[in-house]
Amino acid sequence: MKKVILLIFGAILITSCNSLKVTTDYDTAINFTNYKTFAFFKPGIDKADISDLDKKRILRAIEAELTAKGLTKSENPDMLVSIFTKSRERVDVNQNNFGWGWGWGWNPWMWNNGMDNVNVSKYTEGTLFIDFIDKNKKELIWQGVGTGALKIQNREKKEERIKEFVKEIISNYPPETKK
């Protein structure tokens, strides 16, 4: 029974760290079907505080997702794409008290069989902002934000996690607008 409970709590802990929270915001006055082409906004991308390799990974993932949605990368685009990132260190502390005792209520002589566990995990939580800007008006028209854990040990897993972030964020574009 103890092992089953520990496995359930372990699974909850693992999935809570791997979850990705996505939010989007957009200008409701915009007709997004007018945007057929895009280009990357280099001045905005250059300000992102991540390695150039990660920037390339993010931009390739964005390009793949937008192309899959029917948009075309262009030298004369309708829409500019920019990114911004931020990160912070997170610490999770979980205490599991699976004690054994006699009777009802609190008992000062409870036996816990060594099942008084405190688990501490430290990880980096990253946030990726993807901005779509109307090229002619120079106005933000859509923004997607994804936040999640960045527990990455190797390059392949990092690239996979970046693709997952971008896909989840851009899955909400174009927004379903009421007409």
Side-chain angles (χ1 to χ4, degrees):
M1 180 67 168
K2 291 181 202 177
K3 289 181 182 180
V4 172
I5 292 172
L6 285 174
L7 284 172
I8 291 170
F9 280 112
I12 291 169
L13 179 64
I14 289 169
T15 57
S16 68
C17 290
N18 286 334
S19 67
L20 178 61
K21 297 175 198 102
V22 173
T23 60
T24 58
D25 195 10
Y26 60 92
D27 185 342
T28 57
I30 298 293
N31 180 357
F32 289 93
T33 60
N34 292 336
Y35 298 95
K36 308 260 186 243
T37 58
F38 71 95
F40 293 110
F41 184 62
K42 187 168 174 19
I45 293 166
D46 287 343
K47 292 178 185 176
D49 191 23
I50 55 174
S51 75
D52 287 345
L53 292 172
D54 284 342
K55 285 178 190 176
K56 288 178 185 179
R57 290 178 181 112
I58 292 169
L59 298 181
R60 279 194 301 259
I62 292 171
E63 184 174 344
E65 291 299 320
L66 290 179
T67 301
K69 290 185 172 285
L71 280 82
T72 307
K73 191 173 179 183
S74 171
E75 294 291 324
N76 188 21
D78 305 319
M79 178 173 72
L80 298 172
V81 178
S82 187
I83 63 168
F84 177 76
T85 61
K86 66 180 181 178
S87 65
R88 66 180 178 161
E89 293 299 314
R90 299 288 308 246
V91 177
D92 283 339
V93 179
N94 296 303
Q95 184 172 5
N96 302 322
N97 292 319
F98 301 114
W100 298 96
W102 300 290
W104 298 94
W106 182 82
N107 184 342
W109 297 280
M110 283 185 168
W111 297 89
N112 68 1
N113 291 334
M115 294 300 294
D116 196 16
N117 297 321
V118 176
N119 298 315
V120 178
S121 63
K122 182 177 175 184
Y123 64 94
T124 301
E125 180 180 75
T127 303
L128 173 62
F129 295 80
I130 301 176
D131 295 340
F132 295 163
I133 304 160
D134 182 292
K135 183 186 175 215
N136 296 326
K137 296 179 184 176
K138 305 284 191 263
E139 292 178 355
L140 181 66
I141 57 170
W142 184 92
Q143 182 178 63
V145 182
T147 302
L150 299 175
K151 290 184 178 179
I152 300 165
Q153 293 82 20
N154 61 44
R155 186 186 51 78
E156 289 85 15
K157 289 196 183 283
K158 179 186 272 192
E159 190 145 351
E160 183 180 310
R161 187 68 169 154
I162 286 172
K163 286 179 182 178
E164 178 186 356
F165 261 65
V166 170
K167 183 175 185 155
E168 282 293 317
I169 295 168
I170 293 183
S171 70
N172 295 307
Y173 180 85
E176 293 182 22
T177 55
K178 296 177 182 163
K179 298 187 180 173

